[in-house]
Amino acid sequence: MIARPEGGPRVVVGVDDSAGARCALSWAVGEARLRRLPLLVAHAAPLPPHVSAAGQLGSGVTEALRASGAELIARLLEEVCGGPPDGVDLTALALVGEPGATLVRLAGDDDILVVGHGARGPFSRLLRPSVRLHCARRARATLVCVRPPAFDTLLECLAAQDTAPPREAGRTPDRFRFRRLGRRLRLPR
C-alpha cells in the first residue's frame, strides 16, 4: 500500500492504452485539482501466462513490464494534460499484477477510485476479465466509472467549433447536417 500524506484521501486512477482510460485520467486530474487531493496514477500489467506457468520471474520480464507501464503513464499524461498537471501532487506507479485486484488493493476506504468504462464483446471478456466489474464488486473506495464521450457528443463539439459561413435563408449546407447514429425513439401517437 502506498503511504498517503497525512493519512488523508486521494484520487486513484487506473490507466491502460484505451479511450476510456484517457477519459478517466482527465476526470481524475480535474477531481484531484478541484478537491485538492493527491493523485495516484497506476498501470498494472498482468503477467503473461507462459511466464507465470514456467516460473521465470527472474528473467527480466517484470522489469520490462514495469518499464513499458512507466512509458505508457508518461505518454498518457503528455496526451491528456501536456505533461504532469500543475497544482496536483502526482504519484505514478507501474506495477505487475492483475489490474482489478491491484487497483482494489491500492484504493483505501476514503479514496476515490476512477476507472474507464469501455465497450467490449463477450469473447474479449473471456480472455480478459473486466477491471471495472472487479472494482465494482470488491472495492471499498468510492468508485467512479468514466465513459468516453458518445459519437453524437463529439459531432456536436466539432460543429460548435467550426465557424459557419453565411448561409442562405432557410437552408442548412449539407456539410453541417449530422445524422444521428443509432435508433430513434418512437413515441406512441
Side-chain angles (χ1 to χ4, degrees):
M1 181 137 220
I2 303 301
R4 294 183 191 107
E6 302 159 10
R10 63 187 173 177
V11 178
V12 179
V13 60
V15 296
D16 61 3
D17 198 11
S18 67
R22 285 176 177 78
C23 293
L25 178 60
S26 176
W27 191 92
V29 167
E31 190 70 12
R33 189 175 286 143
L34 178 72
R35 295 180 184 252
R36 295 190 175 118
L37 293 175
L39 176 66
L40 173 63
V41 180
H43 170 75
L47 200 58
H50 67 279
V51 173
S52 60
Q56 302 172 350
L57 294 179
S59 65
V61 174
T62 56
E63 291 82 12
L65 288 173
R66 284 189 186 119
S68 66
E71 290 173 12
L72 175 71
I73 291 172
R75 183 170 47 99
L76 288 177
L77 284 171
E78 186 65 36
E79 288 176 11
V80 171
C81 312
D86 296 329
V88 175
D89 183 21
L90 175 73
T91 304
L93 286 177
L95 304 168
V96 176
E98 289 303 316
T102 302
L103 289 174
V104 168
R105 277 195 315 270
L106 284 175
D109 291 336
D110 54 350
D111 291 339
I112 299 172
L113 177 59
V114 184
V115 294
H117 184 288
R120 295 181 10 200
F123 185 68
S124 174
R125 286 192 177 144
L126 283 174
L127 296 177
R128 291 182 308 144
S130 173
V131 174
R132 175 184 57 88
L133 291 177
H134 183 87
C135 292
R137 290 180 185 134
R138 293 180 177 86
R140 297 177 318 235
T142 301
L143 179 66
V144 177
C145 298
V146 181
R147 279 186 186 266
F151 188 68
D152 291 342
T153 308
L154 291 174
L155 288 178
E156 289 172 11
C157 291
L158 290 174
Q161 291 175 357
D162 196 7
T163 57
R167 56 186 170 133
E168 299 171 18
R171 185 168 187 269
T172 304
D174 288 336
R175 66 185 180 120
F176 293 111
R177 289 185 189 173
F178 294 113
R179 199 175 118 223
R180 181 172 170 84
L181 299 177
R183 64 185 175 131
R184 292 184 179 179
L185 286 175
R186 299 197 186 263
L187 300 175
R189 294 181 186 195

